[in-house]
Amino acid sequence: MKTFRTTTRNLKHFPCVSSRPWWLKFCVALPLATALASTAACAKGSSPGATASAASTSGSPATPVAPPEPAPTAPDNSPLPHIDAKRAFEYTREVAAFGPRYMGNENHKKLERYILDHLKGDEVEDDAFTADTVEGKFPVRNIIAKFPGTKDGIIAILGHYDTNYPLRNIGYVGANDGGSSTAILLEFANQLRSASAGKKRDGYSVWLVWTDGEEAVRSWSDTDSLYGTRHLAEKWEKDGTLKKIKALMVMDMIAPIDLAILRDTNSTPWLLDLIYAAAERGGYQSHFYVLQTPMEDDHLPFVKRGVPSADVIDMPYGYNDVFHHTALDTMDKLSPKSLQIVGDTILETVHMLDQR
Ligand SMILES: [Zn+2]
């Protein structure tokens, strides 16, 4: 994920109120009043020395916003789902241990095999192609695991497994960025597999997609980013899959110890609200939506095509975002508890979608 602009629901939590705003490192400065009242536009460079892109002054004023109203539905007494967060945390550790995993390198190939080994017996499909980029051609491979359901329609859950080509020589392992998203999808596969026990699940089909080429190969832009999902969205538009998708959720950077999931204003509001309602059922809502901002991530190619989509992402990552896209993105910044919160909430969201 890259572009990071912030408005907030609660100025007490607004990083810009500190004496040395973290975003000054990355942002084109706006007049102070505008910055505080509307947006700070930040281009997240894919390497520590990356330059900022042009600022936009568009955006809504930062006004305190009340949490979403609880959905007026009958009480749901079904048991809350619980992922095995310890196992998901171990997956994260194993994925990070592969080292830099940019498109097509040896570590990336090892990770592809690692993912496929965990999906033995599941219905798996590849979306593989060659991306023509400003740094040359790269092989890209989205991996899709399908868990069929009795209802007509698909819930898609996406998470990227690549790391950044420009960070390949700095010891970058992307434990959170790339690692946690890969791991939580593997754990979702475990949960879906054991719940369905070889039969169709009682609800929509769930497709898990390990996306590739999410990161920029040089510097984040519309054409240098989201290689995998731009290809997949186009393919699914042509073959009619997009029309069947009831909801699409992207997992990205979801394991930091001090978990705070953003409310992404590029996402579909009703789906964000449903995720919040699911978090409330688990008592996890304090980890959701203190900050709100538009995010650019793997959901965008689907948002642009009208698919209800949500980006589930924690930003900034560490004070002043210092762990993001740096060699500091390591396991010691992460917690199994955060994977528990996100994992349980998303599985509960799937359950709530099934009831709709
Ligand atoms: Zn990233």
Side-chain angles (χ1 to χ4, degrees):
M1 167 314 312
K2 336 337 34 96
T3 297
F4 188 60
R5 307 170 188 182
T6 296
T7 58
T8 181
R9 289 162 177 257
N10 183 341
L11 283 175
K12 277 192 297 191
H13 301 288
F14 193 31
C16 297
V17 178
S18 65
S19 59
R20 188 161 176 261
W22 64 271
W23 47 265
L24 277 182
K25 283 188 188 172
F26 304 102
C27 302
V28 176
L30 298 174
L32 184 61
T34 310
L36 286 175
S38 58
T39 60
C42 311
K44 299 305 294 177
S46 43
S47 65
T51 54
S53 72
S56 160
T57 53
S58 65
S60 49
T63 49
V65 180
E69 291 291 322
T73 52
D76 185 345
N77 296 319
S78 58
L80 288 168
H82 283 290
I83 68 158
D84 185 335
K86 268 193 187 161
R87 181 167 58 187
F89 196 67
E90 281 314 302
Y91 290 157
T92 310
R93 189 190 306 283
E94 288 169 5
V95 172
F98 284 116
R101 310 175 293 281
Y102 59 89
M103 294 180 282
N105 83 335
E106 267 315 302
N107 295 340
H108 189 288
K109 287 181 188 136
K110 285 181 197 164
L111 179 54
E112 290 171 44
R113 283 194 288 275
Y114 172 92
I115 293 169
L116 293 170
D117 281 349
H118 282 81
L119 299 174
K120 285 220 172 93
D122 300 329
E123 184 184 346
V124 177
E125 192 179 292
D126 261 6
D127 171 38
F129 63 100
T130 302
D132 204 352
T133 81
V134 285
E135 295 286 353
K137 292 189 192 308
F138 289 88
V140 185
R141 186 182 189 184
N142 299 311
I143 299 170
I144 306 157
K146 300 181 177 179
F147 296 87
T150 52
K151 281 185 92 168
D152 191 20
I154 299 162
I155 298 168
I157 307 175
L158 282 57
H160 78 93
Y161 70 103
D162 61 305
T163 58
N164 315 52
Y165 179 73
L167 306 183
R168 65 196 177 282
N169 295 322
I170 64 158
Y172 179 73
V173 300
N176 189 37
D177 193 357
S180 67
S181 40
T182 307
I184 202 153
L185 261 64
L186 290 172
E187 178 56 17
F188 286 155
N190 293 337
Q191 297 295 329
L192 291 162
R193 194 181 303 120
S194 64
S196 60
K199 298 191 192 121
K200 286 189 174 182
R201 64 181 304 274
D202 187 16
Y204 292 116
S205 296
V206 177
W207 291 9
L208 304 177
V209 187
W210 287 262
T211 67
D212 196 6
E214 188 268 351
E215 302 286 6
V217 298
R218 188 178 293 172
S219 182
W220 188 273
S221 70
D222 287 351
T223 52
D224 184 10
S225 66
L226 310 180
Y227 293 97
T229 42
R230 281 190 286 133
H231 186 270
L232 189 62
E234 198 179 320
K235 179 179 155 177
W236 280 356
E237 184 170 45
K238 282 183 190 148
D239 71 12
T241 299
L242 282 195
K243 288 199 189 84
K244 299 180 193 160
I245 299 180
K246 303 295 178 188
L248 180 145
M249 296 179 279
V250 171
M251 309 290 109
D252 199 4
M253 303 172 68
I254 38 85
I257 289 168
D258 54 346
L259 182 73
I261 300 296
L262 281 175
R263 186 176 172 93
D264 161 43
T265 54
N266 285 333
S267 292
T268 307
W270 71 256
L271 185 54
L272 292 175
D273 291 350
L274 192 72
I275 292 169
Y276 190 89
E280 274 188 315
R281 280 209 73 208
Y284 296 141
Q285 66 269 33
S286 68
H287 296 278
F288 287 77
Y289 306 162
V290 170
L291 294 176
Q292 67 177 16
T293 187
M295 299 301 295
E296 295 186 10
D297 207 344
D298 266 337
H299 60 320
L300 280 193
F302 302 95
V303 170
K304 285 175 183 163
R305 289 169 171 83
V307 177
S309 306
D311 190 24
V312 177
I313 185 166
D314 173 307
M315 284 287 285
Y317 178 27
Y319 180 70
N320 281 2
D321 209 31
V322 289
F323 305 150
H324 185 213
H325 287 176
T326 73
L328 297 172
D329 182 2
T330 46
M331 288 302 294
D332 54 305
K333 316 302 185 305
L334 311 184
S335 164
K337 176 72 184 167
S338 300
L339 292 168
Q340 189 88 60
I341 291 165
V342 174
D344 295 358
T345 297
I346 296 307
L347 287 186
E348 177 60 14
T349 305
V350 169
H351 170 74
M352 292 167 91
L353 285 163
D354 285 338
Q355 311 305 308
R356 286 162 68 97

